[in-house]
Amino acid sequence: MNYKKLLFFLIVLNIHCSHAQDIRKSILLNKNWKFSKGDFKDASQIGFNDKKWETVSIPHDWAIYGPFDENNDVQKVAITQNLEKEAKRQTGRTGGLPYMGIGWYRNTFSVPNYQKGQRVSLIFDGAMSEAHVSVNGKEAIFWPYGYNSFHIDVTDLLNADGQKNLLSVRLENKEQSSRWYPGAGLYRNVHLVITNPVHVPVWGTYITTPYVAKDYASVRLETKVENVPNKTEIRIETNILDKNGKVVATKNDIRKMNHSEPFVQNFTVNNPALWSPETPTLYKAVSKVYLKDQLVDTYTTPFGIRDIKFIADKGFFLNGQLRKFQGVCNHHDLGPLGAAINVAALRGQLTMLKDMGCDAIRTAHNMPAPELVALCDEMGFMMMIEPFDEWDKAKCKNGYHRFFAEWAEKDMINMLHHYRNNASVILWSIGNEVPTQCSPEGYKVAKFLQDICHREDPSRLVTCGMDQVTCVLENGFANMIDIPGFNYRVNRYGEAFSKLSQNMVLGSETTSTVSSRGVYKFPVEKKADAIYPDHQSSSYDFEYCSWSNLPDLDFAMADDKEWTLGQFVWTGFDYLGEPSPYSINAWPNHSSMFGIIDLASIPKDRYYLYRSIWNKNAETLHVLPHWNWEGKEGEIVPVFAYTNYPTAELFVNGKSYGKQTKNNTTPQNRYRLMWMDVKYEPGEVKVVAYDANGTKKAERIIRTAGKAHHLELVPDRTEMQADGTDLVYINVRMVDKDGNLCPNDQSLVNFSAGGAGNYKASANGDPTCLDLFHLPKMHLFNGQLTVIVQAAEKTGKLSFEAKASRVKSGKIALDVK
């Protein structure tokens, strides 16, 4: 018997032996990890003693527990992205958290009912960073980029019986390896995948919808199958299931396989339900793989049916409808949870953004967690997935440029294969503000990356976040990119449109307005790089960085120019690190102020400005500032209203300050209603909004709060899943006896939780606050903070209490089911 016949015999024998078992298993390796910071020479070896190490569950971020210290990340550098020309002492640039250094993780895993011949793989959704993965003392893989997912077949490294295999991971974050807080550790999930020898590999399908119409759509599915003897017949039976699990199309095909060829199937789905942000309908392709009529694998590919087109001079069309991206950029950290991924936290963020009218996410500037992409599929967010902040030229001394030449294509392929089936993914971005854009040969690097995208996924176009407009217009860089994306420089969009052959412009990163929730500065005037003794920025939303602008300019560009594609605002949420404009010798600032929503997941005033324009299906009327200005009696305190209605009237203690109507005299007057001459007097502020016919439609009242009386608790949900990971966010508010928010209260609040859950973390949104997130106490910031509680793996009631001096405590009970 020759080798090929023997191999075929062994494969078929193994399939028959294991047929009674599950065809494919995927196991989450998230519990009972041993962890320690520091380097250990023999920590990958079986005999190493880790009994004194900490026991943790992953996802795990070792640095989020602090303590905060400016010496953790102080740097003397010039930040070229901020137009700095000389090196200065940068503080808080990566959050002031101890993310640098080496950490080790160890665990054991067993392969259930292991049969010789099965294939076993590990998938790491992300590991920060420079991961050395070993199994049973032998290195299985090295993967340097902490944001990317990677996988490795570890079959040949397993113990003979498949049991009690040692898995060890060494991670290292070097100093000056990031421009923001990157997190540290096994901050995303690790999966164990067990298959038969003949199987669909990790990310082994590619599904597209080449034709989409109202009456029918075509669906094309490519399936890779590994370890098939050459020219052997394989049969794949695939059913297309709709959202209710009903089979809407099926194919049962037989092919003789050549090793390099995918198995292609084409389907017709009649009367398809099209995916969009408004109707995020998903389908599934469930494929059964047969060898000699023996079922050897089952593989499910979720997807959506939608049509995307970018048309010169006209813009972006989804399913034949013109629309503009109403998007935000987000870093990957989850505020007080750090970089450790959590589905409930992500869902909470997306829920808030959806209510604001946001319909798109740019993953800035890194590959996302797969859970985020799946949620965007499910909840209806278009995605621009972006892998890199550096190419071959450095921004940070120990950034990705060290690995670019050897690893960029590998990283790109992993990203593309991982997410090219996701309906939410509309565009690939190949980079953000890379120094290479101004190099004479920079366009060649961009073409190298864009060509990889075109090769691995011909169904989508490519963009790049460019901030050096003069360079890229003159050296051919911008003209070579499928979709020219500009970071800021909205005043040069018209010039770019006239000079570039694509005849469209995307706001790949916009605005960068800065504000601190509940902080208002006087006099109210537009300012760039405004600095104050309290290290805060004004929430009148009139302050920005020297290289950015106010939101109204981007709103106007989207409204007035058909060839603009919309925008991705910097940022949806505040994040750890990059505390502009307080970045130079400005400790304790250690988190951003760009967010529309603060680090505690509490909306800033700016949230309602965006909501008034982006959310076409909801009424918005928001009034600012608060009305507790003791000591400013008789002085000017302007009042703003953000509303979807064109006109509103302001009353202070019953006195009318007149009606204001949106107009085109300035960009701000076009989108905001502003009374600039209001004199402060304690009492009641009322704004009444009217539609275009002068009919009263909405009313909002703000009152001067009295003495602090009690803590009010407002959870984002009242029920939790008993899965050990579900989270509820509780807004803790200091209010007076009538329930009015006390907007100047900064009291220390203590927390306790028990029953079917526990206290997880808290934050207050203050970019200067050094309270540790994981301790059960936190100062209020302008009357508010957020507590996160986590469900146990048992049902019952989770009880929570918040206490502060001289006021009544707040109590709440949540159902854990």
Side-chain angles (χ1 to χ4, degrees):
M1 184 180 292
N2 64 33
Y3 173 75
K4 290 183 179 179
K5 289 183 178 180
L6 176 60
L7 175 63
F8 180 71
F9 173 77
L10 292 173
I11 289 172
V12 174
L13 178 63
N14 179 73
I15 292 165
H16 280 284
C17 292
S18 62
H19 182 61
Q21 306 169 30
D22 293 335
I23 297 299
R24 171 184 287 264
K25 293 193 185 90
S26 183
I27 300 169
L28 197 62
L29 301 180
N30 61 346
K31 293 183 179 180
N32 300 315
W33 286 83
K34 303 293 287 186
F35 164 75
S36 181
K37 281 199 73 173
D39 205 1
F40 303 90
K41 180 180 178 182
D42 298 319
S44 65
Q45 300 305 305
I46 294 171
F48 181 83
N49 186 350
D50 61 13
K51 290 184 178 179
K52 292 184 179 180
W53 287 16
E54 181 183 1
T55 301
V56 301
S57 295
I58 64 167
H60 175 250
D61 178 353
W62 81 55
I64 195 60
Y65 304 102
F68 294 106
D69 190 321
E70 68 174 310
N71 294 314
N72 281 331
D73 60 0
V74 65
Q75 302 176 18
K76 189 172 183 181
V77 295
I79 301 176
T80 56
Q81 291 74 38
N82 295 355
L83 308 180
E84 295 174 8
K85 302 297 185 183
E86 60 183 67
K88 297 180 180 179
R89 189 174 184 271
Q90 311 283 342
T91 55
R93 194 181 186 200
T94 55
L97 288 163
Y99 79 94
M100 287 173 276
I102 296 169
W104 277 89
Y105 293 82
R106 286 165 52 94
N107 205 345
T108 58
F109 69 90
S110 295
V111 180
N113 304 311
Y114 179 65
Q115 299 286 333
K116 190 173 179 60
Q118 287 181 313
R119 306 308 300 180
V120 179
S121 292
L122 291 168
I123 304 174
F124 287 78
D125 291 341
M128 190 65 69
S129 54
E130 301 189 29
H132 290 268
V133 179
S134 297
V135 175
N136 292 325
K138 296 180 180 179
E139 183 155 298
I141 194 171
F142 168 67
W143 203 277
Y145 197 31
Y147 290 109
N148 208 353
S149 300
F150 60 92
H151 58 91
I152 180 66
D153 187 322
V154 296
T155 307
D156 296 338
L157 301 178
L158 300 179
N159 292 325
D161 60 358
Q163 306 305 298
K164 296 183 179 180
N165 301 284
L166 172 65
L167 171 60
S168 63
V169 185
R170 181 190 187 272
L171 300 171
E172 181 174 9
N173 287 334
K174 289 184 169 60
E175 66 173 4
Q176 296 190 41
S177 57
S178 179
R179 295 194 297 120
W180 55 85
Y181 176 69
L186 289 178
Y187 72 112
R188 293 180 182 167
N189 282 308
V190 179
H191 311 262
L192 181 70
V193 178
I194 306 138
T195 65
N196 282 313
V198 176
H199 64 278
V200 180
V202 175
W203 313 323
T205 59
Y206 176 40
I207 198 163
T208 56
T209 53
Y211 177 82
V212 177
K214 185 177 181 180
D215 51 346
Y216 73 92
S218 64
V219 177
R220 185 179 188 275
L221 174 64
E222 293 184 10
T223 303
K224 292 181 181 178
V225 185
E226 289 191 342
N227 297 327
V228 181
N230 199 25
K231 298 183 179 179
T232 299
E233 283 190 346
I234 286 285
R235 177 165 64 92
I236 299 183
E237 178 185 341
T238 300
N239 290 322
I240 306 295
L241 278 57
D242 67 12
K243 65 178 182 179
N244 298 314
K246 178 184 176 183
V247 176
V248 295
T250 188
K251 282 289 179 73
N252 193 352
D253 299 308
I254 299 175
R255 305 272 192 276
K256 277 192 175 181
M257 297 293 292
N258 293 319
H259 293 307
S260 60
E261 293 178 357
F263 195 112
V264 178
Q265 294 178 295
N266 291 286
F267 307 84
T268 299
V269 176
N270 294 317
N271 303 311
L274 303 188
W275 188 95
S276 73
E278 293 72 32
T279 58
T281 305
L282 296 174
Y283 290 80
K284 289 181 181 178
V286 181
S287 300
K288 294 182 178 180
V289 182
Y290 293 86
L291 178 65
K292 291 292 184 181
D293 290 323
Q294 189 72 46
L295 179 64
V296 295
D297 201 4
T298 300
Y299 196 92
T300 299
T301 307
F303 71 102
I305 298 175
R306 84 285 187 274
D307 177 68
I308 51 178
K309 286 187 174 67
F310 292 87
I311 300 176
D313 296 320
K314 290 297 182 181
F316 168 62
F317 291 78
L318 178 66
N319 301 327
Q321 299 296 313
L322 176 66
R323 65 187 299 154
K324 303 210 175 190
F325 294 109
Q326 297 179 169
V328 300
C329 308
N330 270 338
H331 274 310
H332 69 301
D333 80 66
L334 295 171
L337 301 176
I341 201 66
N342 181 280
V343 171
L346 289 171
R347 187 181 293 277
Q349 286 192 341
L350 293 176
T351 298
M352 295 181 73
L353 292 172
K354 176 70 75 169
D355 180 67
M356 189 179 75
C358 174
D359 64 9
I361 304 291
R362 175 192 182 213
T363 67
H365 311 285
N366 49 266
M367 293 87 166
E371 291 85 354
L372 174 61
V373 184
L375 282 171
C376 287
D377 281 355
E378 172 197 330
M379 298 176 69
F381 287 87
M382 298 176 287
M383 298 194 77
M384 179 206 300
I385 291 185
E386 179 174 86
F388 304 129
D389 190 51
E390 284 185 6
W391 293 349
D392 54 333
K393 294 184 181 297
K395 286 184 184 178
C396 299
K397 181 176 72 173
N398 286 310
Y400 185 74
H401 67 276
R402 294 179 297 138
F403 303 109
F404 183 84
E406 180 181 353
W407 287 91
E409 183 165 10
K410 299 173 188 176
D411 279 320
M412 290 288 291
I413 289 172
N414 273 19
M415 178 190 77
L416 294 162
H417 287 190
H418 198 170
Y419 298 121
R420 62 186 181 177
N421 294 327
N422 291 89
S424 58
V425 181
I426 304 298
L427 271 172
W428 304 114
S429 171
I430 53 176
N432 171 70
E433 299 179 3
V434 293
T436 311
Q437 67 190 300
C438 284
S439 301
E441 304 279 291
Y443 74 94
K444 293 183 179 179
V445 185
K447 185 177 187 303
F448 161 70
L449 296 173
Q450 182 168 269
D451 285 350
I452 295 170
C453 294
H454 290 166
R455 182 189 74 207
E456 303 297 330
D457 178 27
S459 73
R460 293 176 180 87
L461 296 182
V462 177
T463 188
C464 184
M466 300 174 285
D467 65 326
Q468 301 300 314
V469 179
T470 299
C471 284
V472 299
L473 291 183
E474 293 178 354
N475 65 11
F477 190 104
N479 207 54
M480 192 273 305
I481 301 292
D482 291 339
I483 305 293
F486 289 98
N487 290 9
Y488 315 106
R489 321 301 190 257
V490 64
N491 59 311
R492 300 191 67 181
Y493 282 15
E495 177 190 356
F497 172 71
S498 67
K499 290 183 176 180
L500 297 177
S501 61
Q502 299 94 329
N503 298 126
M504 64 185 96
V505 173
L506 171 66
S508 46
E509 185 174 316
T510 65
T511 305
S512 277
T513 298
V514 290
S515 62
S516 305
R517 176 185 48 78
V519 174
Y520 304 92
K521 301 296 186 180
F522 304 97
V524 177
E525 55 190 5
K526 289 183 281 186
K527 292 181 181 179
D529 294 332
I531 300 291
Y532 303 97
D534 64 358
H535 286 215
Q536 305 291 348
S537 294
S538 178
S539 202
Y540 274 108
D541 302 324
F542 265 14
E543 297 179 0
Y544 54 97
C545 294
S546 58
W547 36 266
S548 62
N549 54 268
L550 297 180
D552 317 83
L553 296 178
D554 293 297
F555 292 143
M557 182 61 69
D559 287 343
D560 296 345
K561 303 299 182 183
E562 191 175 32
W563 43 265
T564 59
L565 303 175
Q567 64 171 312
F568 291 82
V569 181
W570 191 264
T571 53
F573 283 77
D574 276 339
Y575 56 93
L576 292 163
E578 290 193 318
S580 299
Y582 296 99
S583 56
I584 299 172
N585 275 325
W587 186 261
N589 288 70
H590 60 284
S591 65
S592 80
M593 308 170 92
F594 302 117
I596 297 169
I597 302 165
D598 74 15
L599 203 70
S601 295
I602 302 173
K604 302 179 186 178
D605 293 296
R606 204 163 1 121
Y607 177 93
Y608 300 96
L609 176 60
Y610 282 93
R611 190 179 193 270
S612 70
I613 297 161
W614 282 359
N615 189 332
K616 308 297 192 298
N617 301 314
E619 178 180 274
T620 298
L621 177 57
H622 177 76
V623 180
L624 63 131
H626 63 73
W627 211 239
N628 276 71
W629 296 104
E630 294 80 357
K632 289 186 71 68
E633 288 79 6
E635 297 181 24
I636 295 295
V637 177
V639 175
F640 288 13
Y642 298 154
T643 180
N644 58 311
Y645 296 111
T647 300
E649 185 173 8
L650 169 66
F651 299 87
V652 178
N653 292 329
K655 173 190 173 182
S656 175
Y657 274 80
K659 290 183 178 180
Q660 294 283 346
T661 298
K662 296 174 185 176
N663 59 70
N664 289 331
T665 56
T666 70
Q668 284 68 50
N669 289 105
R670 185 172 177 179
Y671 298 104
R672 320 178 193 209
L673 300 175
M674 300 176 288
W675 293 263
M676 303 300 292
D677 59 346
V678 181
K679 290 184 177 180
Y680 174 68
E681 56 182 272
E684 178 183 279
V685 173
K686 180 170 72 173
V687 174
V688 179
Y690 303 89
D691 65 14
N693 298 318
T695 303
K696 177 181 175 180
K697 302 298 290 187
E699 180 179 291
R700 176 85 169 101
I701 294 174
I702 297 175
R703 295 182 176 89
T704 304
K707 182 180 177 181
H709 181 267
H710 65 276
L711 290 169
E712 179 182 68
L713 306 182
V714 184
D716 66 345
R717 291 181 293 128
T718 57
E719 292 185 357
M720 308 177 74
Q721 298 295 314
D723 60 6
T725 65
D726 198 11
L727 304 175
V728 161
Y729 283 58
I730 303 172
N731 182 213
V732 179
R733 300 161 51 89
M734 184 69 80
V735 298
D736 68 9
K737 62 182 179 60
D738 298 317
N740 298 304
L741 177 71
C742 299
N744 297 316
D745 200 293
Q746 320 292 344
S747 298
L748 177 66
V749 184
N750 289 276
F751 319 118
S752 59
N758 60 276
Y759 168 84
K760 181 67 174 178
S762 58
N764 59 18
D766 178 359
T768 71
C769 180
L770 300 181
D771 292 352
L772 295 178
F773 300 130
H774 68 287
L775 297 182
K777 58 183 179 180
M778 178 70 58
H779 285 87
L780 294 167
F781 179 53
N782 300 326
Q784 298 187 71
L785 59 78
T786 296
V787 170
I788 305 170
V789 293
Q790 186 171 51
E793 293 182 347
K794 63 178 181 180
T795 60
K797 293 280 189 180
L798 188 160
S799 60
F800 173 77
E801 183 174 13
K803 294 181 178 181
S805 298
R806 298 184 296 279
V807 298
K808 292 183 178 180
S809 64
K811 296 181 181 180
I812 196 171
L814 305 172
D815 291 320
V816 180
K817 298 183 176 180

